[in-house]
Amino acid sequence: MTGNTHIIGGLAASLAISQVTDYDPVLLVVGGVIGAILPDICHGGSKIGRTFPFLSKIINKIFGHRSFTHSLLFILLLAAMMNYFSWNKAIMMGISVGVASHLILDMATKNGVKLFFPLKVTVRLPITTRTGSIVESIVFAVLSLLTVYFGYGAFTNYF
């Protein structure tokens, strides 16, 4: 999936979570967007990879693309690190939800992810598509509608 699809997926997911929690929706959204692009730090051409090229090259050299940063182990280590440093709970939740949405969206691609890293098993959904395809455009449109729907609910209660 492209960066824009991941971002809108992180927005939709974090706004959906705001419907069932008492967390500040603004902080959830900030975390959701960060989490939605974070796993692609292992890819130098990604939005976050271009922002932090040195770090991206190191992570890619050690792990490759769609392996460690696209795994349950990454989510658990990230959550432990955020908890250790006592980050804001709403931002922590948003980041976690954003990373999870990223992994689910990448599981919908033909390449899948190494969800159980360090095991070399590739996990993908039963129905997959190619990055940048018309199907991805439809997924983007649906996620955009969900963002508006959940955003309306989150922010009408917020203000």
Side-chain angles (χ1 to χ4, degrees):
M1 297 286 167
T2 62
N4 289 335
T5 302
H6 283 304
I7 289 169
I8 201 73
L11 280 169
S14 57
L15 287 168
I17 292 297
S18 76
Q19 302 294 304
V20 295
T21 67
D22 291 332
Y23 292 132
D24 182 336
V26 173
L27 296 176
L28 271 170
V29 165
V30 168
V33 170
I34 291 168
I37 61 172
L38 187 59
D40 276 343
I41 188 68
C42 62
H43 187 279
S46 68
K47 290 178 187 296
I48 193 165
R50 289 189 310 270
T51 304
F52 301 102
F54 182 71
L55 183 59
S56 178
K57 284 180 186 177
I58 290 171
I59 293 171
N60 185 278
K61 188 77 164 170
I62 294 170
F63 300 109
H65 183 50
R66 289 192 180 180
S67 61
F68 169 66
T69 61
H70 286 68
S71 71
L72 295 174
L73 178 61
F74 178 71
I75 293 174
L76 291 173
L77 290 174
L78 185 62
M81 184 185 76
M82 289 185 297
N83 194 45
Y84 179 79
F85 289 108
S86 299
W87 284 20
N88 177 284
K89 299 291 185 196
I91 293 175
M92 286 173 49
M93 176 64 80
I95 290 173
S96 299
V97 168
V99 170
S101 75
H102 183 108
L103 271 55
I104 291 167
L105 286 169
D106 275 356
M107 283 190 280
T109 65
K110 302 229 181 262
N111 292 333
V113 299
K114 303 288 189 246
L115 188 64
F116 302 109
F117 180 87
L119 300 176
K120 300 210 182 282
V121 177
T122 299
V123 177
R124 63 182 70 81
L125 297 177
I127 299 172
T128 61
T129 189
R130 286 186 310 275
T131 299
S133 68
I134 292 172
V135 173
E136 182 179 351
S137 297
I138 294 168
V139 168
F140 181 88
V142 169
L143 289 171
S144 297
L145 290 172
L146 288 171
T147 298
V148 171
Y149 175 76
F150 290 127
Y152 177 78
F155 291 108
T156 53
N157 296 330
Y158 185 72
F159 293 108

